[in-house]
Structures are given as C-alpha cells and as structure tokens.
Amino acid sequence: MAQEGNNTKIIMKRSVREWVLSPFSGVYGGLTDIRNWLYDNALLTAERPNVQSVSVGNLTVGGTGKTPMVEFLIKRFLATNEFRVGALATLSRGYGRTTTGFRVATAADTADTIGDEPRQLYRKFNSSVRVCVGERRVEAIESLLQLHPETKRVLLDDAFQHRPLAPHVSILLMDYNRPFYADQPFPGGRLRERRKGARRADVLVVTKCPLTLSLAEQTQIASQIRPYTRPETPIFFAGLAYESPVSFATGQAVTELGAVVLVSGLANATPLEQYVRQHFPLVRHARFADHHPYTRPTLEQLVTDLPADTSLLTTEKDWVKLDALLTPAERATWPLYYLPVSMQFLAGQEPAFLAAMEEMGLKNR
C-alpha cells in the first residue's frame, strides 16, 4: 500500500509539472515545427552523403537503446562479408567529450576525448570498424571519405534531429516504457520535437520490450504509433538481452557472482535495475546522471563502501570510463564487473527487419 501511495504521488507531481510547463512545450514544439518545415520544403538544405548512410535516432530525450542497435547493425553488416576492414564506419557527435571537430578514434583516445559510447564501440569493434565523432555530420563524412575513400557505409548514432544530413535509411527507436505517443515536447515532456516527426522514419523499432510481449499488445502499441508514421513504415519490436557479467581484470565472463552494488549512469536505469534484482542479490544501486563523468575520488568511494564479499557491477558504457581510472594492480584485484547488453528482436522479427533494410537499398553485394 505504501508503494502504491508513493507511485500515486509521483504521477500527481508529474501531471502538475506537465500542466505548468505545457505552454513552454507548445513554444518549443512550434520552434521545431518551423525548423522541420524549412527543411521539408527545401528552404534549408539537407545533403545526402556520397556513401550509404543509416541513421539511428529517437524523438525522446534520453536512452532508447541506440548504442545496442548500432552494435546490432555492426554485427549483422560484418557478417555479410561485404565489409572488409575499414569499409564500415560509425559517426556520432561524441556527447560529453572535451574535444571538438572531426576525429577518428585511436587507441590513445578515452571517453573524455571521443565520448563514452564511441569509446565503447572502439573497444569492441576497432579491429574491423572505424569509429568517428564530429558535431557537423555532413562535413565529418566528407572528411572521413577524404581520409578513407574505401568507406562503403556509415552508421549515424543519434542523428534523427540532425536535419542538415539526409540519410539513405532512418531508423527511429521508441522506448516501450516511454512511448512518444503519450508524451509532449520539452520541457513539459521528454520529446525533442512533436510526435509527427516520426513521419521521417523509414523503420520504427520499439525497444526495451519484455521478450515475452504478446502479439495482442504489439498490435495495440503499433495502432497508437501508426497515426504518426507513414503508412508504409514497418514497425518492429525488440528487447534487451543481458549477458553474463565480465571481469574488469580478465575480460572474461563469469558464471557465478554473489551480492552486488550496481553503479549506472543511464538516462533510464529502471530496466537494468529490475534485471539485476532478478538475477543477483542487489545491495544497493548507485545511480548517476546519463554520461556521468566519473572521477577517481568517486571510484575510490564506491569501492571503499563495498560490503564484504560484494562486487561492483556496472554497465558497459560506464565500464569504459571507470576502467580508465584504475591502476593495473587495482584492475587485477578489485571485484569489478560490467554487464554486456545486446539488442534482441522479438520472436521471428529479426529476419523481417533485415529484409526491410535490404528493400530500402542496403543490399549485400
């Protein structure tokens, strides 16, 4: 009963906040409407790159699973034998980095110089994929092609609102837990633009779904999405599949892990916490803001506060920042682990998704 009362209070506070800020949401939504109208009517120029481009983005402020989707696409594209080393690249603005301009990731880069998610991609795929950052995506792709003309396809992370660039295929993600059709523009809501922006999507994927989501609920959700998309836009459903924890020390998965303190810097850490509670004895959850810039004192405090026989468990995105703060001796001895996660389409939908991508021109050669 106490929990129900707390949930009611949270909902009431959210409703009051949305009502108070609703006029400002209207102003913000109107400004984004004007900007989109200018691009849609060619009064502002949108350039299509000279290389195949796939945009992965969302309408919502915060995480919808863009990085797991980019990783999914990387793995599937590399599996086709079409992309030899260097033919596939990723490009994002590198949120939170201390550098500016176009940059191709190297082993010397850190989360500070390229951003946490590009650093994560580099550590996982650097042997076969070129990871790049750049605020101005059109100019960044031009610079990439000048340096590496062998590039055949670029995956654009978080580029749905970057209207100066017109991608060949645009994938829009929607968090199952935060549907855009029940939201409004910032600051009263979490939308970066009005719901009708979904009409620019060539493919829409509902992410973070329960892997057992029924066909009836999928149909119901799709019916609420459909008024905002083009009639021909396919809608798919996917969830997150968590893998076994991986040791900071060895880079190997472990089959057994006892009590944990969860550390996360995510836009929405609730699904992660729910999973951890179900699979590990969770002592507590140290939540930080999305893209949190961890410091050495913070890490030391987290480790000092660990109860006996308890491990620190974090996300893959947070791992790349925390690991950079460790000495070799600490990495080898402290009980630190991260939890890999991957995109998993619901039963039978992955082949249909890949077929839809091929129909849009992303065919294997």
Side-chain angles (χ1 to χ4, degrees), residues 49-214:
N50 293 323
V51 62
Q52 283 189 345
S53 54
V54 182
S55 167
V56 176
N58 56 19
L59 292 181
T60 309
V61 175
T64 52
K66 293 186 294 296
T67 300
M69 173 57 81
V70 169
E71 292 190 1
F72 172 90
L73 293 172
I74 289 173
K75 293 174 183 176
R76 297 308 181 274
F77 291 153
L78 291 178
T80 65
N81 297 320
E82 175 187 354
F83 296 99
R84 65 184 186 279
V85 174
L88 183 64
T90 68
L91 173 63
S92 70
R93 63 175 174 142
Y95 184 87
R97 64 185 174 125
T98 57
T99 60
T100 58
F102 175 70
R103 192 179 186 96
V104 179
T106 69
D109 278 302
T110 66
D112 286 336
T113 59
I114 59 174
D116 49 14
E117 287 158 341
R119 177 59 179 163
Q120 175 182 330
L121 293 175
Y122 181 83
R123 292 192 71 159
K124 188 174 288 188
F125 300 108
N126 73 84
S127 62
S128 51
V129 176
R130 191 163 283 113
V131 177
C132 310
V133 294
E135 301 90 341
R136 298 178 179 273
R137 315 297 171 87
V138 174
E139 291 88 340
I141 291 178
E142 291 174 352
S143 298
L144 171 62
L145 294 178
Q146 289 176 0
L147 291 172
H148 301 284
E150 69 276 16
T151 304
K152 297 179 66 177
R153 187 173 294 169
V154 179
L155 301 179
L156 303 159
D157 187 359
D158 198 12
F160 195 75
Q161 282 77 34
H162 194 79
R163 297 302 308 273
L165 185 146
H168 293 82
V169 176
S170 183
I171 302 173
L172 179 65
L173 307 183
M174 185 192 87
D175 185 344
Y176 166 84
N177 304 286
R178 295 176 175 178
F180 67 74
Y181 54 72
D183 206 347
Q184 62 175 322
F186 178 84
R190 298 180 60 85
L191 297 186
R192 299 175 174 184
E193 57 179 299
R194 293 193 199 273
R195 304 168 189 175
K196 62 184 178 181
R199 289 190 64 82
R200 300 198 304 277
D202 299 304
V203 179
L204 192 146
V205 181
V206 182
T207 61
K208 301 186 180 182
C209 298
L211 296 180
T212 57
L213 187 68
S214 69

Side-chain angles (χ1 to χ4, degrees), residues 71 109-112 114-124 248 292 294 314-326 331 338:
E71 292 190 1
D109 278 302
T110 66
D112 286 336
I114 59 174
D116 49 14
E117 287 158 341
R119 177 59 179 163
Q120 175 182 330
L121 293 175
Y122 181 83
R123 292 192 71 159
K124 188 174 288 188
F248 278 36
H292 181 73
Y294 294 99
T314 191
T315 71
E316 201 165 4
K317 184 170 79 168
D318 295 303
W319 160 62
V320 299
K321 291 178 285 189
L322 292 170
D323 187 66
L325 301 173
L326 297 169
R331 187 178 296 109
Y338 68 87

Side-chain angles (χ1 to χ4, degrees), residues 34-55:
I34 293 171
R35 179 175 184 267
N36 285 328
W37 184 87
L38 292 172
Y39 277 106
D40 293 341
N41 290 275
L43 296 175
L44 290 177
T45 303
E47 296 186 30
R48 175 148 290 181
N50 293 323
V51 62
Q52 283 189 345
S53 54
V54 182
S55 167

